[in-house]
Amino acid sequence: MASKPQPVVAANWKCNGTVAALTELLAVFNDAKVDHDVQCVVAPAFVHFGLVQAQLKNTKFAISAQNCIAKSGAFTGEVSIALLKDLGLKWVILGHSERRQYYGETNDVVASKVHACVGAGLIVIACIGETLKEREDGRTAAVVIGQLAAIAKTIRVNDWEQVVVAYEPVWAIGTGKVATPEQAQEVHHIIRQWMASNVGAEVASKLRILYGGSVTAANADTLYRCADINGFLVGGASLKPEFTKIIAATKV
Ligand SMILES: O=C(CO)COP(=O)(O)O
């Protein structure tokens, strides 16, 4: 346990929140006593960046985008790396399954975004994970390795310092059906082993691999005890005060 890398606990607020509700929640995050070595991250919708930048005072937290595109210009409705950097943002989530599913982001699209973002100095939370059908067909390892390999192909070994991997089984997202610790650990181990064999042992041992999918204050402790789980990417529960308990679960 002592050799685990610094945990990351990230709140993915997705397309949720009101000014009033988020103001209340940020006050809770500001008051949270986080006295262990952990990186907390909040990813609001783009329209809430200003609110979060003005109100989030807890220095354990960074602000993240939920997506971006590589280049600025005539791309109506999009937000580019340069726009994020101009606001002082350092983190971005890429390849979330909702972006893959609803916006057609393929492994190659995600990989090229990861390449562009690490090249620009951002820290990327790169999401991978299988659907229920893929799991039932026995293709979990092949799918997540395919997603990971596409990224590994586009970035250099040193770039992995700027990448956090989030394993989010699609069937566990927003369903209340959390992966068991055994199911999660099995895939996290496969990811780390693949990284060790294909990128390098040191990169693999330092890589933060987060679990996401119906994480709550009630299951975070048990999940974090798994050897290869280094934190969480949280949706629903990150919009509630219980998110601070999920952060606390990474204190060992
Ligand atoms: O998609 C997720 C985080 O990115 C997980 O969402 P839930 O925690 O709501 O299942």
Side-chain angles (χ1 to χ4, degrees):
M1 232 11 151
S3 62
K4 275 192 169 193
Q6 182 205 43
V8 173
V9 183
N12 179 5
W13 285 350
K14 308 190 180 183
C15 188
N16 290 300
T18 61
V19 170
L22 297 180
T23 298
E24 253 181 60
L25 189 60
L26 288 166
V28 174
F29 291 2
N30 286 339
D31 287 346
K33 279 204 183 34
V34 187
D35 59 4
H36 65 295
D37 186 25
V38 56
Q39 177 65 63
C40 308
V41 179
V42 177
F46 291 130
V47 292
H48 291 137
F49 277 174
L51 172 90
V52 178
Q53 283 190 309
Q55 296 189 13
L56 184 59
K57 306 286 183 212
N58 191 325
T59 54
K60 292 279 187 178
F61 282 74
I63 305 173
S64 175
Q66 299 173 11
N67 176 43
C68 71
I69 60 167
K71 291 205 164 54
S72 304
F75 303 107
T76 301
E78 291 289 359
V79 172
S80 68
I81 293 170
L83 269 54
L84 298 180
K85 291 193 71 171
D86 184 48
L87 288 189
L89 266 77
K90 296 205 169 57
W91 287 72
V92 62
I93 297 170
L94 292 175
H96 193 280
S97 64
E98 288 147 18
R99 298 229 42 102
R100 294 176 187 264
Q101 192 179 346
Y102 306 134
Y103 304 98
E105 292 195 9
T106 61
N107 284 353
D108 287 344
V109 168
V110 174
S112 82
K113 287 186 179 195
V114 174
H115 174 259
C117 286
V118 296
L122 294 176
I123 303 172
V124 170
I125 299 178
C127 303
I128 60 178
E130 82 289 359
T131 63
L132 184 59
K133 171 89 172 65
E134 289 163 343
R135 173 164 283 265
E136 286 172 351
D137 290 349
R139 298 184 50 232
T140 298
V143 168
V144 300
I145 295 310
Q147 292 166 332
L148 198 59
I151 294 168
K153 220 167 52 182
T154 69
I155 64 174
R156 294 165 310 174
V157 172
N158 289 350
D159 293 333
W160 283 96
E161 283 172 20
Q162 289 163 244
V163 179
V164 172
V165 169
Y167 168 59
E168 299 205 304
V170 179
W171 47 271
I173 295 177
T175 58
K177 216 175 145 190
V178 65
T180 64
E182 293 74 24
Q183 285 173 320
Q185 168 58 26
E186 183 186 19
V187 181
H188 282 232
H189 184 68
I190 288 169
I191 293 166
R192 206 179 298 283
Q193 287 293 108
W194 187 90
M195 288 293 297
S197 308
N198 293 276
V199 180
E202 203 188 332
V203 170
S205 70
K206 287 186 181 158
L207 182 69
R208 273 86 61 91
I209 310 174
L210 315 185
Y211 170 78
S214 297
V215 175
T216 63
N219 56 37
D221 277 309
T222 321
L223 285 163
Y224 192 70
R225 270 184 232 123
C226 298
D228 290 296
I229 295 185
N230 309 118
F232 302 107
L233 179 55
V234 187
S238 76
L239 286 152
K240 300 178 194 162
E242 84 174 90
F243 184 66
T244 60
K245 296 208 174 84
I246 298 172
I247 296 168
T250 62
K251 181 176 176 175
V252 287

